Amino acid sequence: MAALTKVELVFLDGREVPYAEAGVPVDDPGIVRGDGIFEVVRLYGGRPLALDDHLARLGRSAEGMRLPGLPLDELAADAAAAVERAPAGEDRVLRLIVTAAGRRLVTLERFEPPPEPAELLPVQHRPSPLMVRVKSLSYGAHMLATRIAREAGCWEAVFVDPLEQVVTEAPVSSFAWAEGGRVFTPPLGAGILDSITRTLLLETGLVEEKRCPLDRLRAADGAALVGTTVELHPVVAVRGVADFPSVAPVLLDARERLRERIAARLER
């Protein structure tokens, strides 16, 4: 394993290869144009959470990108092999990638928990309507937003639609906020990804969908990011909009309910 990478294990087209030797051709469309799809799966104690759901969404992304014939069944087998090699009792991250040329890549990575405290920076962004709900490799705008946030001293960005001035999601997470003893998250109609962790959160019954005008956050009791690697992670501020000196009890309750849902899925 290279010293500066989180990657511990690599499967390329079904074959385990050393990290230093893993690569795809220089003209692969996944590299040249970001043309491909991917998923990220959390392993809890070596057990993958909702792997079938992630594989199903990968299939929907392939359909949405008009990429028929991708080797998704083979990728599922590669993922199972990587899970078998994961250290028992330890958390890891499984990354699944298929390029438009049909190259498939599975990596097992170290898990890194989110930082405490965490502050968000509002960044204006409106995704292309063609890419709504598609988890493609075309993440340039998302990564740029995170870099802008880090340059400003924040942990992560949160997207604000420049036309409607509503909060949508973060570069690699969903967004939630607390208000009046309830927890809310923007609806899928806002153009956000249909997050699997967000779905589990909605299943707790404590959370409902609602549009989030940026000004609405000024009176919020708290905010959080929701996603595969962060679960539900409260933040201390949305810079220039609202500060949250303490975590709203309803967010803590929602986090515990989410963890209960995660534990139940792992048992299944």
Side-chain angles (χ1 to χ4, degrees), residues 34-206:
D35 192 3
I37 55 178
F38 79 102
E39 284 289 331
V40 177
V41 183
R42 173 88 174 266
L43 272 62
Y44 288 81
R47 294 181 296 171
L49 174 65
L51 178 57
D52 289 346
D53 292 345
H54 283 280
L55 291 170
R57 188 170 64 182
L58 199 69
R60 294 193 298 273
S61 292
E63 292 176 1
M65 289 284 289
R66 304 297 195 270
L67 296 175
L70 292 187
L72 299 184
D73 290 342
E74 291 90 339
L75 188 76
D78 298 345
V83 170
E84 286 292 325
R85 295 285 306 280
E90 297 184 20
D91 290 359
R92 288 295 187 273
V93 173
L94 190 68
R95 190 176 303 273
L96 316 175
I97 298 173
V98 187
T99 73
R103 305 301 298 268
R104 63 186 196 272
L105 179 66
V106 174
T107 61
L108 187 70
E109 305 173 7
R110 295 193 309 275
F111 169 72
E112 295 183 354
E116 297 279 4
E119 184 177 1
L120 305 180
L121 180 74
V123 174
Q124 292 195 348
H125 173 62
R126 168 170 274 207
S128 166
L130 285 175
M131 304 303 291
V132 170
R133 301 179 196 172
V134 171
K135 201 168 177 65
S136 82
L137 294 176
S138 304
Y139 258 48
H142 297 67
M143 298 301 95
L144 174 58
T146 296
R147 293 188 188 103
I148 292 171
R150 300 279 169 84
E151 289 173 358
C154 295
W155 166 50
E156 185 57 285
V158 62
F159 290 141
V160 178
D161 186 293
L163 300 181
E164 300 183 9
Q165 287 298 297
V166 295
V167 177
T168 56
E169 59 186 345
V172 295
S173 308
S174 297
F175 179 76
W177 77 98
E179 177 186 328
R182 294 283 296 175
V183 178
F184 301 94
T185 188
L188 295 181
I192 66 174
L193 182 71
D194 190 3
S195 160
I196 291 168
T197 308
R198 175 184 175 278
T199 297
L200 291 173
L201 182 63
L202 288 168
E203 290 174 359
T204 66
L206 283 179

Side-chain angles (χ1 to χ4, degrees), residues 118 120 158 167 175-186 212-214 216-226 232-238 241-252 254:
L120 305 180
V158 62
V167 177
F175 179 76
W177 77 98
E179 177 186 328
R182 294 283 296 175
V183 178
F184 301 94
T185 188
C212 184
L214 186 60
R216 187 184 198 108
L217 286 183
R218 301 187 193 282
D221 301 317
L225 294 188
V226 177
L232 186 152
H233 192 64
V235 299
V236 297
V238 177
V241 179
D243 295 319
F244 310 115
S246 60
V247 180
V250 68
L251 284 176
L252 295 176

